[in-house]
Amino acid sequence: MARNGSLLHGGILAQGARRALDLLLPPLCHCCGTPVGEGGILCPACWATLEVLAPPHCAACGLPFEHDVGDGALCGACLRRPPVW
């Protein structure tokens, strides 16, 4: 066994521990709790329901606009109190 612990951090023991944990607590979809192949992902049904933010939207917070108001437009809340970023 290597002195730096590489066998423990990314080797056989870590893989075995991850597999054992997956048997006890299988990875689940973050939205509906359906079992998935690996942790941190959504199931296909939940992924299909996502709405991707696309223009037109507020340039600061991403709030969707109903109509295109031009590049760099801000929503009312961001005009009143601009975000620090």
Side-chain angles (χ1 to χ4, degrees):
M1 181 163 145
R3 289 182 180 230
N4 64 6
S6 62
L7 194 62
L8 293 175
H9 293 292
I12 298 167
L13 292 177
Q15 291 174 0
R18 188 173 355 112
R19 288 183 183 151
L21 185 60
D22 285 349
L23 285 174
L24 295 172
L25 302 168
L28 303 175
C29 172
H30 283 273
C31 289
C32 69
T34 299
V36 292
E38 60 187 73
I41 63 174
L42 300 178
C43 71
C46 290
W47 181 260
T49 64
L50 290 179
E51 293 184 33
V52 178
L53 288 180
H57 56 74
C58 173
C61 71
L63 179 77
F65 292 138
E66 289 186 24
H67 307 285
D68 190 2
V69 291
D71 289 339
L74 299 177
C75 68
C78 289
L79 285 171
R80 282 189 302 276
R81 178 177 270 166
V84 294
W85 63 87

